[in-house]
Amino acid sequence: MRFRGNFEYGDVIIMILPIWSLWFLSTAGAKSLSAEKVIPFCGIADCNFHGKSLHTVPLGLSDAVLGLDLAFNSIVHIQDVDLKSAVNLRTLLLQSNLIQTIDEHAFDFLGKLEHLDLSWNNLTYLSPSWFRNLSSLQKLNLKGNSYSKLGIFPLFSGLQKLRYLYLGNDKFSSLQTKDFEGISVLEELEIEGQNLKQYSPGSLQSLVRINHIVLNVPVNFILNWILADVKNSVVFLELRNIDHNLESLIRYFKKGPITAQKLVFRDSNFLENDTVPLIEALSGMTQLKELEIIDSRLQGTGHFPNSQHILSNVHIITIRNLKIDSFYLFSDLSSFLYLVENITRLTIENAKVFLVPCELAKRFSSVQYLDFNTNLLQDSFFEHSLCPGSWPKLQTLNVSQNSLTYLGRTAQSVAHLVNLANLDVSQNNLEQMPESCHWPKSLKYLNISGCKVEKLTGCIPDFLEILDASNNLLHDFMVSLPHLQELYLTNNRLKALPDAAFIPHVRFVTIRENSVFVFSEQELEKFVELKLLDARYNSFQCTCGFVSFVQSYPRIYNICIGWPENYICDSPDYVKGDQIGVAQLQLTDCHFSSFVSILCIVIILIVLVSAFLCHKFHVIWYIRMTLAWLKAKRKPRRTHNQAVCYDAFISYSEQDSEWVENIMVQMLEQSNPPFKLCLHKRDFLPGKWIVDNIIDSIEKSSKVLFVLSENFVRSEWCKYELDFSHFRFFDENNDAAILILLESIPTKTIPERFCKLRKLMNTKTYLEWPSDKDQEQLFWFNLKMAIKA
């Protein structure tokens, strides 16, 4: 029994295993297929898989791919075969993934690769084998990984064309002499190493020339050693995160001057006591021409130590986004009087500057370019900062994004600057503009964009060559500027081009993003010197004249910037969104007068044809009949006790009146007893509408006698009487119509409009006037009996 039991259990196992295996294979296959399905396929020159949540390199990469962006995904591993077919790849972006490992031969087939970005991944080890075949590589970014050193063997020895190198991270702690072997020239080198603890002096001496080096390393002996290695090779030196302790750096600058021409401090903190010593130390750098302080912070109250040193070598100073906590306490800058005389370009942006003391402003005797944008200058302080005798060589002044409100005072403040050619007062609140202002005659360029200006006045100097009044509230342009060559009016409320009479010599006009409806050939031809017109993104009204002009004007492609794709119809609605160059308007819009004329002719023809058809087919007769029929139908039904005045109403043609009046009436009215008959000649009320008389007479008669003849069927009134009587008696279920056939009438000769007559003749017995006199007595007898019935 045990053997049998085991055998049965084994049978079950044997039966289950194939099913389980089949399920497992199916599931695995399905997962594999689904994985292949989710991974995008790419066969074009530039493949963008930026932020697509990929976990592997896409399949199907071919030699047609030149650029591959795999940044911001979740790729963990780069395999040998992933990029094997992309042999013509020029750019490979793998930054911000989760890459931990790269196979030794993953990049072996990328001999044409020029740009490789592996930054911000999880690489703890860098292998020289990755780069050994990248002979064309020019730009390499290895920042933001987890390696502490660049490896045992030189990484870059085979990268002869490498010009841009970015390396380091928070864990980067060691730089060795071998690390830069094989590199002699770099355009840009960035070393991120705030935790750099070991540096072998001479590591960077192999570099003959470094155009721009960025150092984010501690301010200690390591920084001094690095500066010592690059002091003769660097052109542009950028130091980041220099925090408070500048003594070591100042001592080095004094001891071993660097040949750099440009020095930048970024993301740094300065104490006011270190400022003047630093400037004195920099005065020994004889080749230094440009000094920048960006995104940094200055602590103090503006009490700087006095200095007699002059930065004779530095001509360009840029201070951008400098945070000064106690800026409102800066009242005396006399310490800088001897430091600024040789400066030619000064930029102080977003540093809460509200005043330049007049005495200091006069010391800037060499400044030609002055940029005070995004500060706190007000009209009165600005006037004081530009006191007479200050900034004598100033040519360009930028005071945009300050707190200026009156353009007249601005003009007065700069009036003494005889060399001023360019003035930017944009993004101030200059809502009101005086009618006239006094400007320096040298002014050629004025920027008042974004100042909420509603109207331009004579305050705008007429000797300007360039005016930028974009982003305002202008509805028109009525200022005479005879020397103007460039006019910028973007994003206003203009509905037409400026008049060429005001700007006769203009060569470039931009009026984009306004409300311009149309412009004509005549308007453009008035601008005799116009070379370029930027009228994109306006609300163009695509009238026939405008569309016809732009589609046939040969110079439109040469003059209009962005033509035709950025010139779109706004109306009429049926072409809204279409390009003006291909818009197809309706005939009624383009030839309205012709359309109206043709329409009138068609209407007249329709009226004439309708009149003809009405006459031919008696349409008017039917209309009149219908109106009368409706009138009769609205009358109430005759009741049995309603008074009857006549025994019969006689309907006959006037051509048959002799027989009716002289024979039939005489016979009936003189009989015994006499019949009372209703005749239209005798019994219709004068002045009453004939249709009403007919209806009333039929209402008051017991019978209606119809004297039928060819004359009868040609009479319209007989037709009315026949229809009214038939309708009335039919409506009352009464058969009171008596037909007297005066002469033989073939049914085919009866007009179609006498449809009721045809019906009566086919359904009712009628009396026929006999041709034999012997039969007349019988006729009269039958007629009298029919009336009495």
Side-chain angles (χ1 to χ4, degrees):
M1 292 297 293
R2 181 179 299 175
F3 176 80
R4 180 175 177 82
N6 288 339
F7 177 78
E8 290 177 354
Y9 181 76
D11 285 348
V12 173
I13 295 295
I14 292 172
M15 292 173 65
I16 290 176
L17 277 176
I19 299 174
W20 175 259
S21 304
L22 181 62
W23 177 86
F24 179 79
L25 291 173
S26 305
T27 307
K31 287 184 178 179
S32 174
L33 287 174
S34 64
E36 289 188 12
K37 188 175 181 181
V38 223
I39 297 178
F41 176 83
C42 178
I44 58 176
D46 291 307
C47 300
N48 186 358
F49 297 111
H50 189 100
K52 300 295 183 181
S53 301
L54 300 180
H55 295 276
T56 59
V57 177
L59 301 177
L61 297 176
S62 67
D63 57 1
V65 180
L66 302 179
L68 180 59
D69 187 351
L70 294 170
F72 294 92
N73 283 287
S74 302
I75 300 173
V76 177
H77 178 56
I78 307 295
Q79 304 180 63
D80 287 338
V81 295
D82 285 343
L83 302 166
K84 186 175 181 179
S85 300
V87 293
N88 291 317
L89 201 62
R90 301 294 196 277
T91 301
L92 177 57
L93 305 180
L94 289 164
Q95 72 268 28
S96 299
N97 275 276
L98 303 174
I99 300 174
Q100 297 178 0
T101 55
I102 300 175
D103 287 352
E104 293 294 313
H105 303 285
F107 302 143
D108 279 1
F109 302 96
L110 306 182
K112 298 181 180 179
L113 190 67
E114 298 174 354
H115 181 190
L116 175 60
D117 194 337
L118 292 168
S119 61
W120 305 108
N121 281 287
N122 297 325
L123 295 171
T124 58
Y125 166 76
L126 301 178
S127 172
S129 60
W130 300 344
F131 312 114
R132 64 188 171 197
N133 292 323
L134 303 183
S135 56
S136 300
L137 194 64
Q138 300 177 21
K139 190 171 185 178
L140 176 60
N141 192 342
L142 298 171
K143 285 177 55 178
N145 281 276
S146 300
Y147 54 85
S148 59
K149 56 184 179 179
L150 297 182
I152 303 175
F153 303 101
L155 284 179
F156 317 118
S157 56
L159 305 181
Q160 301 298 320
K161 295 184 178 180
L162 190 65
R163 293 295 178 267
Y164 299 87
L165 177 60
Y166 310 90
L167 52 88
N169 54 74
D170 291 340
K171 299 179 180 180
F172 189 52
S173 60
S174 174
L175 266 177
Q176 305 296 324
T177 307
K178 60 172 179 52
D179 288 338
F180 294 96
E181 286 184 10
I183 305 176
S184 58
V185 177
L186 284 177
E187 289 296 318
E188 188 166 326
L189 171 63
E190 181 175 347
I191 300 176
E192 180 75 26
Q194 273 295 315
N195 292 311
L196 193 63
K197 296 179 175 59
Q198 181 180 359
Y199 178 81
S200 299
S203 296
L204 291 171
Q205 282 186 351
S206 61
L207 296 172
V208 179
R209 183 178 181 274
I210 307 174
N211 187 54
H212 181 195
I213 187 170
V214 180
L215 298 176
N216 186 6
V217 299
V219 183
N220 53 29
F221 63 93
I222 291 181
L223 176 59
N224 293 345
W225 284 344
I226 294 176
L227 293 178
D229 284 349
V230 301
K231 67 177 183 180
N232 296 319
S233 59
V234 67
V235 178
F236 175 5
L237 173 61
E238 181 174 341
L239 302 177
R240 296 184 179 178
N241 289 302
I242 305 297
D243 193 5
H244 300 311
N245 183 17
L246 293 178
E247 288 118 2
S248 172
L249 186 62
I250 291 172
R251 282 196 302 270
Y252 178 79
F253 283 154
K254 288 182 177 179
K255 180 181 178 181
I258 301 177
T259 59
Q261 300 177 19
K262 181 177 180 179
L263 176 61
V264 175
F265 292 95
R266 188 185 297 271
D267 300 320
S268 299
N269 289 315
F270 299 96
L271 298 174
E272 60 181 15
N273 293 331
D274 293 331
T275 305
V276 172
L278 177 61
I279 293 175
E280 291 178 349
L282 296 180
S283 63
M285 298 173 58
T286 56
Q287 297 188 35
L288 186 64
K289 298 290 187 288
E290 188 171 352
L291 174 64
E292 290 187 10
I293 301 175
I294 301 173
D295 300 328
S296 296
R297 184 172 184 174
L298 175 62
Q299 297 182 13
T301 57
H303 295 87
F304 300 99
N306 291 325
S307 174
Q308 299 298 322
H309 289 268
I310 298 177
L311 279 174
S312 57
N313 48 328
V314 177
H315 299 293
I316 302 174
I317 292 182
T318 299
I319 300 174
R320 185 173 289 117
N321 301 327
L322 178 64
K323 186 176 181 180
I324 307 175
D325 295 331
S326 304
F327 71 95
Y328 50 87
L329 297 176
F330 279 59
S331 57
D332 181 18
L333 299 176
S334 57
S335 304
F336 291 97
L337 293 180
Y338 300 99
L339 301 175
V340 299
E341 293 183 357
N342 292 323
I343 297 175
T344 57
R345 291 177 62 93
L346 175 63
T347 299
I348 304 180
E349 174 185 338
N350 192 22
K352 297 184 179 179
V353 174
F354 61 91
L355 172 69
V356 180
C358 180
E359 185 181 359
L360 178 61
K362 291 179 180 180
R363 291 285 185 164
F364 286 96
S365 56
S366 301
V367 170
Q368 299 176 14
Y369 177 93
L370 178 61
D371 186 349
F372 277 153
N373 83 85
T374 320
N375 282 292
L376 303 176
L377 291 171
Q378 298 181 2
D379 289 321
S380 56
F381 292 155
F382 178 68
E383 188 174 356
H384 183 80
S385 300
L386 272 72
C387 61
S390 62
W391 320 98
K393 295 184 178 180
L394 190 61
Q395 299 177 8
T396 299
L397 173 61
N398 182 357
V399 286
S400 61
Q401 297 189 66
N402 277 273
S403 300
L404 305 178
T405 58
Y406 194 63
L407 190 61
R409 292 189 67 176
T410 303
Q412 183 180 353
S413 300
V414 301
H416 71 281
L417 303 176
V418 295
N419 296 309
L420 186 65
N422 308 295
L423 175 61
D424 186 348
V425 292
S426 62
Q427 300 186 62
N428 283 281
N429 193 10
L430 304 175
E431 296 182 17
Q432 298 297 325
M433 186 178 297
E435 291 299 325
S436 62
C437 299
H438 179 62
W439 298 92
K441 297 295 182 182
S442 56
L443 191 63
K444 302 299 179 187
Y445 167 83
L446 177 63
N447 188 345
I448 56 170
S449 63
C451 292
K452 302 180 181 178
V453 176
E454 296 182 358
K455 181 182 179 181
L456 298 180
T457 68
C459 181
I460 304 298
D462 59 4
F463 41 80
L464 281 181
E465 295 181 1
I466 303 174
L467 173 63
D468 189 346
S470 302
N471 304 306
N472 281 298
L473 306 174
L474 301 176
H475 289 85
D476 53 34
F477 185 87
M478 306 288 287
V479 181
S480 178
L481 301 173
H483 302 284
L484 198 69
Q485 296 184 10
E486 297 180 19
L487 177 60
Y488 299 86
L489 294 171
T490 299
N491 192 24
N492 278 279
R493 299 178 181 179
L494 301 171
K495 294 185 177 180
L497 288 177
D499 193 338
F502 293 118
I503 45 176
H505 299 292
V506 72
R507 299 190 174 201
F508 174 76
V509 175
T510 176
I511 195 173
R512 57 186 291 179
E513 300 174 43
N514 277 270
S515 301
V516 176
F517 291 151
V518 294
F519 51 85
S520 64
E521 182 177 3
Q522 291 74 18
E523 288 179 295
L524 286 184
E525 292 300 331
K526 290 179 181 178
F527 292 98
V528 291
E529 298 183 23
L530 185 65
K531 302 297 182 185
L532 290 174
L533 171 65
D534 188 352
R536 293 174 286 177
Y537 313 119
N538 278 290
S539 303
F540 289 109
Q541 183 178 3
C542 289
T543 61
C544 289
F546 178 57
V547 171
S548 175
F549 151 62
V550 297
Q551 290 182 357
S552 60
Y553 191 58
R555 296 180 58 205
I556 199 75
Y557 284 90
N558 299 326
I559 290 181
C560 290
I561 297 175
W563 180 270
E565 59 272 9
N566 295 318
Y567 293 77
I568 307 298
C569 292
D570 188 64
S571 63
D573 288 339
Y574 64 87
V575 293
K576 187 173 184 178
D578 294 347
Q579 293 181 12
I580 300 174
V582 296
Q584 299 292 329
L585 299 180
Q586 295 177 355
L587 181 65
T588 54
D589 291 333
C590 294
H591 304 284
F592 184 72
S593 57
S594 302
F595 174 77
V596 171
S597 302
I598 295 173
L599 183 62
C600 291
I601 293 173
V602 171
I603 291 174
I604 293 172
L605 290 175
I606 291 175
V607 169
L608 293 175
V609 171
S610 300
F612 172 76
L613 294 175
C614 288
H615 175 74
K616 181 174 178 63
F617 296 103
H618 308 284
V619 174
I620 296 177
W621 185 89
Y622 279 110
I623 294 174
R624 292 168 64 188
M625 166 58 201
T626 302
L627 294 175
W629 181 85
L630 292 174
K631 183 177 180 67
K633 186 169 180 62
R634 286 197 299 268
K635 279 183 172 290
R637 292 187 177 188
R638 185 173 64 183
T639 59
H640 292 289
N641 57 0
Q642 187 172 341
V644 176
C645 301
Y646 304 102
D647 293 311
F649 171 77
I650 303 176
S651 176
Y652 61 96
S653 171
E654 188 64 31
Q655 283 78 8
D656 300 326
S657 60
E658 182 178 355
W659 183 85
V660 172
E661 297 170 3
N662 296 332
I663 299 177
M664 187 180 74
V665 172
Q666 294 297 327
M667 179 62 69
L668 295 177
E669 288 187 342
Q670 293 178 7
S671 64
N672 188 16
F675 291 96
K676 190 173 182 180
L677 303 177
C678 180
L679 300 176
H680 66 271
K681 286 184 178 181
R682 184 182 65 191
D683 299 311
F684 279 7
L685 293 176
K688 194 173 184 179
W689 188 34
I690 188 170
V691 174
D692 289 337
N693 270 315
I694 293 173
I695 295 173
D696 291 342
S697 298
I698 294 174
E699 291 281 339
K700 296 177 181 179
S701 303
S702 296
K703 303 289 183 180
V704 180
L705 302 181
F706 293 99
V707 181
L708 304 179
S709 66
E710 291 185 0
N711 296 323
F712 183 93
V713 298
R714 287 195 294 267
S715 171
E716 289 187 14
W717 292 114
C718 293
K719 171 67 170 61
Y720 284 145
E721 293 164 355
L722 178 65
D723 284 337
F724 295 149
S725 65
H726 185 272
F727 160 72
R728 191 67 183 180
F729 295 130
F730 177 78
D731 194 40
E732 297 173 359
N733 295 318
N734 192 354
D735 194 7
I738 301 173
L739 304 182
I740 300 173
L741 193 61
L742 190 59
E743 58 184 4
S744 178
I745 307 174
T747 307
K748 294 182 179 180
T749 62
I750 300 176
E752 291 183 0
R753 69 178 187 271
F754 279 83
C755 55
K756 290 196 172 52
L757 177 59
R758 291 188 178 197
K759 182 178 179 181
L760 288 171
M761 291 183 70
N762 291 329
T763 59
K764 291 180 65 68
T765 303
Y766 53 84
L767 297 174
E768 186 175 358
W769 176 249
S771 57
D772 186 1
K773 288 190 177 183
D774 295 337
Q775 300 293 326
E776 291 182 2
Q777 290 300 324
L778 181 60
F779 170 81
W780 294 119
F781 175 79
N782 292 333
L783 177 58
K784 291 176 182 179
M785 293 303 293
I787 295 174
K788 291 179 180 180

